[in-house]
Structures are given as C-alpha cells and as structure tokens.
Amino acid sequence: MGESEQKTDLLHYLQAARDALLWKLDGLSEYDVRRPHTPTGTNLLGLVKHASGVELGYFGSTFGRPFFDEPPSWFTEVAEPNADMWATADESREQIVELYRQAWRHSDTTIAALALDATGHVPWWPEERRKVTLHHVLVRVIADTQRHAGHADIIRELTDGAVGMTKGNCSLPPGDQAWWEDHRRQLERVAREADRRDTP
C-alpha cells in the first residue's frame, strides 16, 4: 500500500470520529450540550472544544504550522486546568463547532503537505520525547478522537436515550424499548448473581 492510500485510510477513521462527535450535539438544547454528566465534568460541547485543541496542537504547532496568531486563553500554558474541556457561557455552540471544522481543514492541509515520516516536535512534551513523525501523530489523534466519540456516545444516551455510531447506522441489534428494558434487567440480574458468587 502506497503512502497516499495509507493517508486515505487514516483520514477515513479520523473523519468518522470527527463526524460522530458533532452529530452527538444535534437536536440538544444549550443546557444539554454543556451540562456535566460525570464527577469530572465531562460534557458534549467540551469534548468538541477539546478535540479542536488536540488537532490544532498536534497538526499545527508540532509541525511549525500554528493556527492562532493570538491563541485564546484556554489554549495557552497559563490556562486553568481543564479549560479546554468546557465552553464558557460566552462561547457559543456555533463558535466551537466552527473552530472544530477549521481545525479539520488546518489538520488536513498539514497531512496533505507532509510525508508520513516527516518529523515534528510536540512543544508540551518532555524534551526527550518531543520528536515525532506525522504517522505517529495521526494514529495518536485518531485514538484520542475515537475515545472521546465513545464518551459522547454514552453521554448522549444518558441525556435523551439517542444512540448510534453514525447518522443512519445505529450499530445496535434491533429491539424496541421493551426489549432493551428486558435486556438491561437481564444484565442487572447477571451482575448481582456474579457478585453473590464472588462474596465469601
């Protein structure tokens, strides 16, 4: 397989995760895309903001192609912890989504312009580990984005019950609400039975 085909494969999986993240926002209120669902504050719009920063850092600054002339405070070294994982009330959903789409274009331009074995330097990593290849960064960003797409799957299901891997592909076995409720009760019974067996 030539390099062009390798890039096509890698970009396919990256784009699938990008699209899934944005799709999970569809049809939700401002409150629901922002509200924290976990003790650590995980929320849908924050995942998109974080994914934007990941791409702009790894495919931008790492390869000498910074995106921002003046980066926003959340993208700087002095940002408060976790600042990239939530959107302020002044940051609209439209702004975050558009930033993510701009990040895609910036990343895709970097990927198209460089060979997979091109080297860059990750400024925020320890000096001895900073040197990376474009191939390494692509795999890393795909893994990170797919991981967060999985987070978004669960958060969306907890929000309003909507499920699916991509639009038009629910990727789940067929079953109505009653079937799923019965399935969940079965799993609960099995979990309790296993727990009883494990308890001395």
Side-chain angles (χ1 to χ4, degrees), residues 7-78:
K7 283 186 179 182
T8 298
D9 276 354
L10 292 164
L11 278 170
H12 168 77
Y13 286 101
L14 177 56
Q15 191 61 51
R18 290 165 167 173
D19 291 338
L21 267 180
L22 288 190
W23 180 48
K24 295 301 176 179
L25 303 177
D26 284 0
L28 292 181
S29 68
E30 285 300 317
Y31 172 72
D32 281 334
V33 297
R34 296 166 184 268
R35 68 183 171 111
H37 284 264
T38 69
T40 55
T42 305
N43 63 93
L44 290 169
L45 195 57
L47 290 172
V48 174
K49 183 178 178 180
H50 170 73
S52 303
V54 167
E55 292 213 24
L56 293 173
Y58 280 110
F59 293 116
S61 305
T62 294
F63 292 98
R65 302 186 68 252
F67 176 80
F68 295 111
D69 293 326
E70 291 187 25
S73 59
W74 61 268
F75 195 73
T76 66
E77 292 180 2
V78 298

Side-chain angles (χ1 to χ4, degrees), residues 172-192:
L172 293 172
D176 59 15
Q177 183 175 349
W179 187 91
W180 283 108
E181 288 172 358
D182 184 61
H183 176 67
R184 190 180 187 285
R185 282 192 294 270
Q186 177 187 7
L187 298 186
E188 181 68 27
R189 285 194 303 271
V190 169
R192 290 183 183 280

Side-chain angles (χ1 to χ4, degrees), residues 125-186:
W125 284 9
E127 185 65 43
E128 67 275 10
R129 294 178 44 229
R130 285 186 182 176
K131 188 175 180 181
V132 291
T133 64
L134 177 63
H135 182 266
H136 175 92
V137 167
L138 254 167
V139 172
R140 185 181 187 89
V141 173
I142 291 167
D144 188 74
T145 310
Q146 290 285 2
R147 178 172 182 255
H148 292 313
H151 293 152
D153 284 340
I154 293 168
I155 291 173
R156 183 62 192 255
E157 184 175 359
L158 291 172
T159 301
D160 65 355
V163 296
M165 187 168 71
T166 60
K167 192 171 187 177
N169 176 13
C170 102
S171 68
L172 293 172
D176 59 15
Q177 183 175 349
W179 187 91
W180 283 108
E181 288 172 358
D182 184 61
H183 176 67
R184 190 180 187 285
R185 282 192 294 270
Q186 177 187 7

